[in-house]
Amino acid sequence: MVLSPSPAPTPAPAPAPAAAAAPARTKLTHSGGVLQKNREFLDFFWDIAKPEQEIRLMAISGLLEYLRSSEGDDLEYTIQRLIEGLAATRETARPGFSLALAQVLQCKETILLRTILEQIKKKHDINITKKKFIRNAVFGNFFGVLALSQSGRLIKEPDILLESIQLLQSLSKYRQYLRDLPAKTIMDILSETPENVFKKILFGALQEDMSSAFSTPAQLHLLLVALQRFPKVLKPKNLKKLLGSSAILSPENVAKLIELLKVAARSVKKDQTLPPLALDLVRVTLQEGTFEMFWKDVVENGLLKEPSGPTSYFCFRLLGASLPLLSLSQLNLVLTGEVMRQYGDHVVIAQLPKRFRFGPEMTNLVDSFLESTQDEAKQFMVIKGFSSLTNYGHPVIPSYWKVVCRLQSSVLVKYVDWLKNMFTSPDFDICTEFSTKRQKENKQAIDRTQHSVVRLRSWIVARLISIVDNWQVKKEEDLVMDIARFIFFHAFFGAKRYTSDIPETEVTLTIPLDEKTRDMMESSFFCLLNHLNSLPPLGDSAELGDKNEKRVFGVTADGNLWIYCLVQYASVLLSQERSVQAVKPFTQIQRKAWDRMLQSVEDLQKKSKTARKQEASAFQLLFLLVGIQLFKVGEDSLALLSDLHKCVEEWEQKKIKKHSTHVTRKEEPDWVEVMVEILLSFLSQPNRLMRQVSKMVFTRICPHVTKEALQLILDVFNPESEEGEESALIVTEDFEKSQTKADWSNDDEMEDESDSDESEEEEDNNDNDDGADDSDEDKSEEDAEEEREEAVDENFRMELMKVLQTTNAISKEGESSSDEEADDETMMALDKNIAALFSERKKRLQAAKDKKEKMMKEKALRKNFKIKVLDLIEVFLAKQPENPLIFDIIEPLIAIIEENLSSHSNQQEQDYLRKAADIFKNQLCKAKTYCQNISEMKEDLHKLMERLVSRASKQSDSSVSLYCFSGALYLLRVLKGKAINPAITDKTEKGEKAKTGQVDSFGNMDMKKVTELYQGALTLFMTRRKCSLTGSMFGNLFSRFPVMCERLLPLAIVSITDGIREHQRGQACCLVLQALQSQDVRQSFPGDKWNELITEVISQVTQCLKTVTAVKLKVEQEEVRKCLELVQFLVKTVTQQRLDISLAELTSVLQSLEELEDACKISDLYWHVMKLLGFKKPQKVKVKAQLPNPAAAPGPLKKKKGFLPETKKRKNWKKKKTPTLENEQIKKENPDGKSDEAPKATSDRMDKKKKKKFRKRKKTPKENAAGNTEKTQEPPAKKSKKKSDGGKSNQLG
């Protein structure tokens, strides 16, 4: 790496040794007095050794710049310092010094490489180095040669090159340190060496290594690199002298190559990469023309026979990495061989849990190949080869494969044609078919051909749909339409003869479609319709569109819907009865309905250009969707089409006549109601397309929704209406079951189905045993449960007694029983009767179990249906926020939250609850716009608000109460309306105000009713112990509606002392503080009223603080803290506004709080308030710990310096202590030995505590790390330990 000579900023100085620890910019003098180095120059070497790469590069660049401008012997010192750093102990420092030395040699060409090499050998001579420094010396030699190689001058001096190669060869024996680094360095040098230099100088030096190429993978790799670099030198004749054969791959070398590749595969087991030896070997075999032999004999017949995993993964990686190097014939050989079959077997087995999966890595290899190559034939060969790897007809690659997006447009069209041909004429001869080991052992008599055809066709259909669905695939509209026509044709039609108008009739099916495949095709087609409905614009239309223009999905470039294009194609098919035959032919009624539907769609297209475009497009979309469903469910679609026609007629009549008659309104439902019923029927079907279309249509017709139509939607959430929906939901369940069986268009479901079958067959014996055990346990639990049910079933017991009594199996009272009383025929009859009884019992239990499961499924279907219907509510709230019908949605949403909040047992109910709560909170309560014209319904809104507040206060859960209270606040905002300036005098503005029904600044709100309502709620909160209302609810009311804050303030002030518990009193203080901080409240209390208000609040707070006797509990602390916050505001207000209010009583009460126990927990806030009153917090006097007086200490002083502390000394407590002179003296003074026992024990305990503290301080690692290393006394301590040990031994001796 060559660095630019541009100056680099000076890095921060690194820590230097004691010799360099002088102040910055001071000169350091060499011992000889010749060299003088400044701090900046020395810092370069410290920065080169740092682990950060950026700092190293900046230091090297700065060093080079310094050497260019310096004079003297700095260069010699630099070379010496860099050579020393090559053997640094830090791993990150060695590469930095090597790179720096290479750059210096490249910059200063006057330096002789021989001199540098000799200095490296002399400085890091392995022969004279001590054993513990051999590792550093080995690295010093290696990085020295690496520096010479990176300087770029090694090739110019062949003698030095030869010596460097020989030095690297000598370092190869230190594999425990360097591994393959010397061999890799030699290969890097060979890649830059000219051919004549290699032939004259290096060939002889490397001849021994190359002749033993089949000994180690590194030596073989060296030979392979030389063969590719110098083919004229290593001719077949010279190669035969080295190896005994004229080519690398020969029949004699196959076994050796297999063993070497096995070693190479195991060496990269942890890295999970392909050894570089493998690709070089592939390149050499391609040059020699022996690739087929290499792949067959070495890979397939050699490495694949090894049962270990690393060799198999080596083969898989070699297959994926060698794809760019191969020709078409060689690609065919690789993609149809045993390696692919082994890979397919691995993919099937890897579906089991806790198995290594190579599939993602192979996907990345194929993706990189398709991205790098531009050869269309190779792209098609590879994508076709992987798609042809099948297990019983099912390809192992997923149907949604991301590499398809790398295909060129022409290759993608060719690939789609190949898939369609494989669908119509399945040819398993061109497929790479494989069977797993378990499948080969399983010899069941089933039709494998038909089974394989069904699996292959289902995968092909899923792959075609994934091409349409994947937005990353570059495709044109013609290709998308071709795929849609193909799937629609084979789902609902069959070809009689060829016609040019219908390209799908050109090829007939070699194997007819069975019923299962037809069902799959039908479901797949509607899945494709769903993707087409949300498909962005394709081709040039997507690129030419305006970026600021809103993108329309589901339409073609000419503006037509994709579903409309398919309906036109269906009309063409229906008109070609001679060439095409429908699977379910239309009746005359269905054909008339089809023709009428087409005519209605054409009429609606003409009307969609008018002002009522939204409604026309909604009708058009419904007509097309219901019409195309005639091919699947004819009778149901006929009824829906009839209803749609009536809706269109009524819509057109209302378009002409603005108001309809009351008689018509009462006799027949409105067209919107019919549309809503149709949409609800769509949502009851487990189909994503129906859900999406319903949402789109309802978005366009929601401005026309009436109260009755909205009530139809809300009735779905009514628990009483579930009984009426039971029959429809049962039908829906059957439809879902049939669709689930046939819906193979979903890629994930299809892959799970196929792979799980094969994975179960591929489980090991242990896995099978475990699964059997688990199943046995489940069965045993079920049996136990059945036995428990039988035990409590008295009817079954009586029936069993009757059966036994009829055959005299049970002796009657007073009679003896014996086994000889019943003959064989009687016993056989008894066995049959008992077996029949138990069989009937088992059937009855199974029927009850099935009924329970059916009820659970119906409940899940009903809940899923409600989740879908919530989409319509969400759309209505988003599109019609000013519609007065929104008020009818509030209570049903709250009922959903109430019902499900306490019973969310599974994930589905949690999703249902979360969605309903999100709609209520974000779409309704937080809506930016709301209904304005409410003068006619203000009484109903007041009643609704009363119900919500009452409902909130009666809840058992405060979270539900919060939603009810939020709904009441939303109604309060609606009733209040927009703020109106009371100073309005303009007549026009007064007229507008009269139109909206707003009389004053309160809008349509009845202030008296509302005030009484919230006063009752606040009283309930302050006086009831268990209340679902919370202080945050009223805080939200105060902040959003200051007009209510003013009216509820007196009640909040009284509650400061009248609150039933500490929590309520604290919340009252919060509410009062929030009210007093409001500017609107301040303006509503002018002059003396404000003084009276502040005086009253101070009085209440003072009385509240007088009742405080302790602050131990958390609620007590919270109460005092809230009171102090309010007092702080009051004191500031009195002092800043200079109000004539006395604070003497409050001050005395606050002073008494300091004497309470645990008052320190509120100390900060308390003294902040006292500071406002003129009191200062007393300063705590820190008393220093007095050290004991050495003169007064009894006994002789112990010398601490240089000795171990007492806590470090090893003591044996079990042995009796030897008597010392001090103990003897104590005994003489106290001969009885009684008076000093207790004080001595106490002093011993105190000494132990001091020793523990001393030990903790001594053992703290942070203090040891932060302290100066020069002050540590470890060596004297070691000496003292020896002395103390010796002293102990002498004393004990």
Side-chain angles (χ1 to χ4, degrees):
M1 177 178 180
V2 181
L3 297 175
S4 60
S6 59
T10 304
R25 300 296 180 184
T26 58
K27 300 291 183 177
L28 294 179
T29 306
H30 191 260
S31 58
V34 179
L35 297 179
Q36 289 184 344
K37 310 290 182 289
N38 58 30
R39 180 62 182 269
E40 180 182 1
F41 177 64
L42 294 176
D43 284 344
F44 290 141
F45 301 102
W46 287 97
D47 292 342
I48 289 173
K50 287 186 177 180
E52 293 82 6
Q53 184 178 3
E54 296 181 357
I55 296 178
R56 290 205 304 264
L57 295 178
M58 290 173 60
I60 294 172
S61 178
L63 178 61
L64 295 177
E65 187 65 24
Y66 181 84
L67 292 177
R68 290 190 185 97
S69 60
S70 65
E71 297 178 358
D73 298 330
D74 292 340
L75 181 59
E76 181 181 353
Y77 178 81
T78 300
I79 297 296
Q80 178 184 353
R81 188 74 180 270
L82 293 178
I83 291 176
E84 290 178 358
L86 296 174
T89 56
R90 287 182 292 176
E91 296 182 0
T92 56
R94 293 191 290 262
F97 284 107
S98 177
L99 179 60
L101 181 59
Q103 294 298 312
V104 170
L105 294 178
Q106 186 180 12
C107 181
K108 301 290 185 179
E109 295 186 358
T110 57
I111 303 174
L112 298 178
L113 295 185
R114 178 173 297 279
T115 305
I116 301 300
L117 185 58
E118 289 177 355
Q119 291 183 15
I120 292 172
K121 290 181 179 180
K122 182 179 179 181
K123 183 66 179 178
H124 308 295
D125 192 355
I126 302 176
N127 298 324
I128 62 175
T129 304
K130 293 182 180 181
K131 186 176 181 180
K132 63 179 181 180
F133 298 118
I134 287 180
R135 182 177 183 272
N136 295 340
V138 169
F139 277 110
N141 284 278
F142 170 72
F143 280 103
V145 178
L146 187 62
L148 297 178
S149 174
Q150 291 178 344
S151 66
R153 296 172 51 189
L154 194 59
I155 309 301
K156 302 176 183 179
E157 301 184 21
D159 297 339
I160 308 302
L161 175 62
L162 179 59
E163 292 184 18
S164 301
I165 295 294
Q166 292 174 351
L167 181 57
L168 289 174
Q169 288 176 335
S170 65
L171 295 175
S172 300
K173 61 182 179 180
Y174 298 99
R175 186 173 177 78
Q176 68 272 25
Y177 305 136
L178 299 176
R179 298 189 180 183
D180 295 333
L181 290 177
K184 293 180 180 179
T185 307
I186 293 175
M187 293 177 220
D188 293 338
I189 294 174
L190 289 182
S191 63
E192 300 176 358
T193 304
E195 186 175 353
N196 57 348
V197 176
F198 174 78
K199 183 177 180 180
K200 294 179 181 179
I201 298 174
L202 298 184
F203 182 71
L206 299 174
Q207 187 172 1
E208 182 179 356
D209 291 338
M210 290 188 293
S211 60
S212 57
F214 294 106
S215 301
T216 61
Q219 291 175 337
L220 176 61
H221 194 196
L222 176 63
L223 178 60
L224 295 175
V225 172
L227 279 172
Q228 297 177 74
R229 186 74 177 87
F230 313 108
K232 295 181 180 180
V233 178
L234 294 174
K235 294 180 180 179
K237 180 176 64 175
N238 297 334
L239 195 61
K240 189 172 184 180
K241 293 179 182 179
L242 292 174
L243 304 177
S245 60
S246 58
I248 293 292
L249 187 62
S250 61
E252 298 84 9
N253 300 333
V254 169
K256 299 178 183 179
L257 280 175
I258 292 173
E259 294 300 324
L260 286 177
L261 291 178
K262 288 180 181 178
V263 174
R266 287 191 291 268
S267 65
V268 294
K269 179 180 179 180
K270 294 183 179 180
D271 299 335
Q272 296 183 1
T273 56
L274 182 67
L277 162 69
L279 281 181
D280 288 329
L281 184 58
V282 171
R283 294 187 183 95
V284 171
T285 54
L286 289 173
Q287 291 179 3
E288 295 177 349
T290 57
F291 177 78
E292 288 76 8
M293 181 192 301
F294 166 74
W295 196 258
K296 287 288 185 182
D297 298 341
V298 177
V299 179
E300 293 182 350
N301 298 329
L303 296 176
L304 278 183
K305 302 300 181 182
E306 180 75 14
S308 63
T311 54
S312 299
Y313 301 141
F314 174 85
C315 297
F316 300 158
R317 291 189 181 97
L318 183 62
L319 184 147
S322 59
L323 291 177
L325 307 175
L326 306 180
S327 62
L328 289 176
S329 59
Q330 292 164 350
L331 283 174
N332 187 30
L333 171 67
V334 169
L335 296 174
T336 57
E338 288 298 324
V339 179
M340 284 289 288
R341 291 186 175 88
Q342 190 79 12
Y343 170 71
D345 187 82
H346 162 77
V347 172
V348 173
I349 298 175
Q351 300 299 325
L352 296 173
K354 296 182 180 180
R355 294 289 184 95
F356 173 72
R357 299 185 180 184
F358 190 80
E361 188 173 347
M362 180 63 78
T363 300
N364 294 333
L365 291 172
V366 177
D367 185 74
S368 61
F369 164 74
L370 295 176
E371 185 180 10
S372 61
T373 184
Q374 299 297 325
D375 193 341
E376 298 180 359
K378 288 185 178 182
Q379 278 193 345
F380 178 71
M381 176 70 71
V382 170
I383 195 69
K384 174 186 171 184
F386 278 93
S387 300
S388 302
L389 181 60
T390 57
N391 175 246
Y392 286 154
H394 191 282
V396 298
I397 61 173
S399 58
Y400 192 92
W401 209 22
K402 69 174 186 178
V403 303
V404 180
C405 64
R406 303 295 184 185
L407 298 178
Q408 300 182 23
S409 300
S410 57
V411 179
L412 182 62
V413 173
K414 190 177 180 180
Y415 179 57
V416 170
D417 293 339
W418 179 80
L419 290 174
K420 293 193 297 184
N421 292 333
M422 288 294 291
F423 181 90
T424 55
S425 303
D427 187 6
F428 294 103
D429 295 335
I430 65 174
C431 294
T432 308
E433 181 71 19
F434 71 94
S435 300
T436 60
K437 181 180 179 181
R438 193 63 54 84
Q439 289 171 345
K440 293 176 181 177
E441 295 174 356
N442 187 13
K443 298 180 180 179
Q444 296 181 357
I446 59 176
D447 189 4
R448 291 292 184 187
T449 303
Q450 184 63 27
H451 181 62
S452 300
V453 169
V454 172
R455 288 162 59 87
L456 177 63
R457 283 175 170 171
S458 64
W459 182 89
I460 290 174
V461 172
R463 168 51 63 87
L464 292 174
I465 293 175
S466 68
I467 292 174
V468 176
D469 182 32
N470 191 355
W471 60 272
Q472 293 181 336
V473 178
K474 299 178 181 180
K475 48 188 176 290
E476 299 294 335
E477 288 186 356
D478 295 338
L479 180 63
V480 175
M481 193 62 199
D482 186 27
I483 294 174
R485 287 160 57 107
F486 178 82
I487 296 177
F488 177 78
F489 179 83
H490 291 288
F492 304 107
F493 290 90
K496 291 182 178 180
R497 63 179 185 179
Y498 171 71
T499 175
S500 59
D501 297 336
I502 305 174
E504 286 73 22
T505 59
E506 184 178 359
V507 181
T508 57
L509 297 173
T510 56
I511 301 177
L513 297 177
D514 57 351
E515 184 178 357
K516 187 177 181 181
T517 308
R518 289 282 187 188
D519 295 338
M520 178 271 299
M521 293 287 290
E522 291 178 2
S523 302
S524 300
F525 171 72
F526 286 101
C527 179
L528 176 63
L529 272 184
N530 181 33
H531 297 315
L532 291 175
N533 198 33
S534 58
L535 192 68
L538 302 176
D540 298 335
S541 60
E543 299 176 359
L544 297 177
D546 188 5
K547 294 182 179 180
N548 297 326
E549 185 180 357
K550 186 177 179 180
R551 300 182 67 183
V552 181
F553 296 92
V555 297
T556 60
D558 54 358
N560 291 325
L561 295 170
W562 283 102
I563 188 173
Y564 178 71
C565 299
L566 289 174
V567 167
Q568 287 182 328
Y569 175 67
S571 299
V572 174
L573 295 178
L574 291 174
S575 62
Q576 298 287 339
E577 296 181 354
R578 295 183 179 180
S579 303
V580 175
Q581 180 181 3
V583 177
K584 298 177 183 179
F586 278 1
T587 61
Q588 292 183 355
I589 299 176
Q590 290 176 346
R591 186 56 190 267
K592 290 181 180 179
W594 175 266
D595 295 337
R596 186 183 178 188
M597 180 270 298
L598 291 178
Q599 185 62 39
S600 299
V601 170
E602 292 179 359
D603 296 339
L604 289 171
Q605 278 187 339
K606 297 177 182 177
K607 296 176 181 179
S608 62
K609 299 178 181 179
T610 60
R612 310 189 77 179
K613 180 180 179 181
Q614 295 290 332
E615 297 83 352
S617 61
F619 281 118
Q620 182 182 356
L621 183 59
L622 281 181
F623 269 121
L624 293 172
L625 181 60
V626 177
I628 209 165
Q629 281 189 331
L630 281 171
F631 294 98
K632 188 174 184 179
V633 281
E635 298 298 330
D636 296 339
S637 300
L638 283 177
L640 289 176
L641 285 175
S642 177
D643 294 338
L644 284 176
H645 286 298
K646 293 180 180 179
C647 291
V648 172
E649 292 175 358
E650 186 176 353
W651 171 67
E652 289 179 346
Q653 290 178 1
K654 283 194 174 184
K655 184 180 177 182
I656 299 173
K657 300 178 180 180
K658 297 294 182 181
H659 302 285
S660 61
T661 60
H662 294 284
V663 177
T664 306
R665 183 70 189 89
K666 291 181 180 179
E667 291 180 354
E668 296 181 359
D670 193 60
W671 67 272
V672 178
E673 300 176 32
V674 179
M675 291 283 285
V676 169
E677 290 181 354
I678 294 174
L679 296 181
L680 291 177
S681 66
F682 283 175
L683 292 176
S684 64
Q685 302 178 17
N687 194 326
R688 190 175 298 176
L689 173 64
M690 297 300 183
R691 184 176 183 179
Q692 186 178 3
V693 170
S694 300
K695 196 172 181 179
M696 294 173 60
V697 172
F698 189 77
T699 302
R700 297 170 183 176
I701 66 171
C702 63
H704 305 277
V705 171
T706 60
K707 187 172 184 178
E708 291 77 10
L710 182 62
Q711 190 61 39
L712 289 174
I713 299 175
L714 297 178
D715 287 342
V716 175
F717 308 109
N718 188 5
E720 298 177 357
S721 64
E722 292 184 356
E723 297 178 358
E725 299 171 3
E726 186 174 359
S727 59
L729 288 172
I730 292 174
V731 175
T732 304
E733 179 187 5
D734 297 338
F735 174 74
E736 183 183 22
K737 286 182 179 179
S738 62
Q739 185 178 13
T740 304
K741 292 180 181 179
D743 189 10
W744 293 352
S745 59
N746 190 333
D747 302 338
D748 297 334
E749 292 178 1
M750 203 184 69
E751 289 300 323
D752 292 340
E753 181 183 358
S754 61
D755 292 339
S756 61
D757 295 339
E758 294 143 1
S759 300
E760 290 174 0
E761 296 174 351
E762 283 298 317
E763 290 181 354
D764 298 330
N765 293 331
N766 295 333
D767 297 336
N768 290 333
D769 294 341
D770 296 339
D773 295 339
D774 296 338
S775 61
D776 292 341
E777 291 177 1
D778 296 338
K779 291 180 181 179
S780 64
E781 291 177 0
E782 293 176 0
D783 296 340
E785 184 178 357
E786 292 178 1
E787 290 177 359
R788 288 193 298 269
E789 292 178 358
E790 290 177 0
V792 298
D793 194 348
E794 296 294 337
N795 296 329
F796 175 73
R797 183 182 298 176
M798 296 300 297
E799 292 178 1
L800 181 61
M801 295 287 290
K802 290 179 182 178
V803 171
L804 296 176
Q805 288 176 358
T806 54
T807 56
N808 295 324
I810 299 177
S811 61
K812 299 180 180 179
E813 295 182 358
E815 296 181 0
S816 61
S817 61
S818 62
D819 296 338
E820 298 178 356
E821 292 181 359
D823 55 359
D824 294 340
E825 294 181 358
T826 304
M827 294 301 295
M828 292 294 292
L830 177 63
D831 291 343
K832 290 182 180 178
N833 292 334
I834 293 176
L837 182 62
F838 275 94
S839 176
E840 182 181 357
R841 170 63 175 168
K842 188 175 181 180
K843 291 180 180 179
R844 189 160 56 249
L845 291 175
Q846 185 64 33
K849 186 178 179 181
D850 294 341
K851 184 178 180 181
K852 185 178 180 181
E853 291 180 355
K854 185 178 181 181
M855 292 176 63
M856 294 297 293
K857 290 181 180 178
E858 289 180 2
K859 183 179 179 181
L861 284 171
R862 193 177 292 111
K863 192 71 68 176
N864 191 24
F865 174 60
K866 291 180 179 180
I867 292 174
K868 295 176 183 177
V869 176
L870 281 177
D871 291 343
L872 305 183
I873 299 293
E874 186 176 9
V875 168
F876 186 76
L877 291 175
K879 298 296 181 181
Q880 296 291 316
E882 298 183 1
N883 197 321
L885 294 176
I886 284 180
F887 305 127
D888 297 335
I889 303 176
I890 297 177
E891 288 185 301
L893 286 178
I894 293 178
I896 294 174
I897 297 172
E898 284 180 350
E899 178 186 358
N900 294 273
L901 189 63
S902 59
S903 63
H904 54 281
S905 58
N906 54 15
Q907 185 63 36
Q908 188 184 35
E909 292 183 355
Q910 291 181 13
D911 295 339
Y912 180 46
L913 172 62
R914 190 179 296 110
K915 186 168 186 177
D918 180 72
I919 291 174
F920 183 84
K921 180 180 179 181
N922 298 322
Q923 300 293 335
L924 179 65
C925 296
K926 293 185 178 180
K928 295 182 179 179
T929 57
Y930 50 87
C931 183
Q932 299 290 336
N933 190 10
I934 56 171
S935 57
E936 298 179 357
M937 59 177 65
K938 58 182 179 180
E939 294 296 332
D940 296 333
L941 294 183
H942 280 89
K943 294 179 181 179
L944 178 59
M945 186 192 304
E946 293 178 4
R947 291 198 301 269
L948 290 178
V949 174
S950 175
R951 200 169 187 171
S953 60
K954 295 178 181 179
Q955 296 294 332
S956 59
D957 194 342
S958 60
S959 58
V960 181
S961 178
L962 177 61
Y963 286 101
C964 298
F965 204 86
S966 299
L969 293 183
Y970 169 75
L971 293 177
L972 186 60
R973 181 173 65 140
V974 173
L975 287 170
K976 184 177 181 299
K978 294 182 179 180
I980 300 176
N981 189 358
I984 295 177
T985 56
D986 191 7
K987 295 182 180 180
T988 57
E989 293 181 354
K990 289 183 179 180
E992 292 178 358
K993 186 173 67 171
K995 288 181 181 180
T996 59
Q998 297 184 7
V999 182
D1000 52 13
S1001 61
F1002 300 149
N1004 294 285
M1005 181 171 54
D1006 189 344
M1007 182 54 64
K1008 183 178 179 181
K1009 289 184 179 180
V1010 175
T1011 303
E1012 293 177 356
L1013 176 64
Y1014 283 103
Q1015 281 178 350
L1018 184 57
T1019 304
L1020 194 66
F1021 169 63
M1022 293 296 176
T1023 57
R1024 182 183 292 183
R1025 286 185 174 272
K1026 293 183 179 180
C1027 184
S1028 58
L1029 300 175
T1030 60
S1032 60
M1033 299 178 187
F1034 293 98
N1036 193 12
L1037 173 65
F1038 279 25
S1039 62
R1040 293 176 59 185
F1041 303 99
V1043 64
M1044 294 301 303
C1045 176
E1046 176 186 349
R1047 284 159 176 77
L1048 297 180
L1049 181 58
L1051 180 58
I1053 294 174
V1054 174
S1055 300
I1056 294 177
T1057 55
D1058 295 347
I1060 191 169
R1061 290 189 305 176
E1062 294 87 351
H1063 174 69
Q1064 277 80 357
R1065 293 193 290 270
Q1067 292 298 319
C1069 292
C1070 288
L1071 295 177
V1072 172
L1073 176 61
Q1074 184 177 354
L1076 294 178
Q1077 290 175 342
S1078 174
Q1079 292 293 333
D1080 296 330
V1081 175
R1082 177 67 182 88
Q1083 293 175 3
S1084 61
F1085 289 92
D1088 296 337
K1089 292 184 178 180
W1090 178 252
N1091 293 350
E1092 295 175 359
L1093 179 64
I1094 297 298
T1095 304
E1096 184 180 0
V1097 174
I1098 291 175
S1099 175
Q1100 292 290 333
V1101 174
T1102 305
Q1103 296 300 323
C1104 181
L1105 290 175
K1106 285 182 180 180
T1107 60
V1108 177
T1109 59
V1111 286
K1112 292 182 179 180
L1113 300 179
K1114 187 176 181 180
V1115 289
E1116 296 173 346
Q1117 298 171 14
E1118 192 67 22
E1119 178 191 7
V1120 175
R1121 188 175 288 109
K1122 299 297 182 185
C1123 289
L1124 290 177
E1125 291 176 357
L1126 179 58
V1127 169
Q1128 181 181 1
F1129 174 79
L1130 293 173
V1131 173
K1132 285 183 178 180
T1133 304
V1134 171
T1135 55
Q1136 291 176 0
Q1137 298 181 9
R1138 298 179 181 179
L1139 302 178
D1140 188 12
I1141 299 175
S1142 175
L1143 300 176
E1145 185 179 4
L1146 177 62
T1147 304
S1148 61
V1149 173
L1150 289 175
Q1151 287 177 343
S1152 64
L1153 292 179
E1154 187 180 2
E1155 302 175 358
L1156 296 177
E1157 188 179 356
D1158 293 336
C1160 59
K1161 296 181 180 179
I1162 56 171
S1163 176
D1164 294 338
L1165 182 59
Y1166 171 78
W1167 285 109
H1168 191 68
V1169 174
M1170 297 300 291
K1171 184 179 179 181
L1172 297 175
L1173 294 172
F1175 295 89
K1176 292 184 179 181
K1177 184 176 181 181
Q1179 298 293 333
K1180 291 183 179 181
V1181 180
K1182 295 183 179 180
V1183 181
K1184 295 184 179 180
Q1186 295 182 358
L1187 297 176
N1189 190 2
L1197 292 175
K1198 294 183 180 180
K1199 188 177 180 180
K1200 295 293 183 179
K1201 187 174 182 181
F1203 289 86
L1204 280 174
E1206 291 295 331
T1207 57
K1208 296 293 185 180
K1209 292 182 180 180
R1210 186 176 299 172
K1211 297 179 181 179
N1212 194 345
W1213 299 99
K1214 294 182 179 180
K1215 293 185 179 180
K1216 294 182 179 180
K1217 295 183 179 180
T1218 56
T1220 59
L1221 295 175
E1222 185 178 356
N1223 293 335
E1224 291 293 337
Q1225 177 119 12
I1226 294 173
K1227 284 184 179 181
K1228 288 179 181 180
E1229 295 175 359
N1230 300 313
D1232 296 335
K1234 295 180 181 180
S1235 59
D1236 291 333
E1237 286 180 358
K1240 188 174 186 302
T1242 307
S1243 62
D1244 289 342
R1245 286 195 296 268
M1246 295 300 293
D1247 290 339
K1248 289 179 182 179
K1249 292 182 179 179
K1250 291 181 179 179
K1251 289 174 183 178
K1252 287 182 180 179
K1253 291 181 179 179
F1254 184 81
R1255 188 186 302 119
K1256 290 180 181 179
R1257 265 189 253 121
K1258 198 72 177 177
K1259 290 184 177 181
T1260 304
K1262 294 182 179 179
E1263 295 179 2
N1264 293 337
N1268 295 329
T1269 56
E1270 293 83 355
K1271 295 182 181 181
T1272 56
Q1273 300 294 337
E1274 290 183 359
K1278 292 181 180 178
K1279 293 179 183 179
S1280 64
K1281 186 175 182 181
K1282 294 179 181 179
K1283 292 180 181 180
S1284 62
D1285 293 343
K1288 285 183 181 180
S1289 62
N1290 295 333
Q1291 190 177 8
L1292 291 173

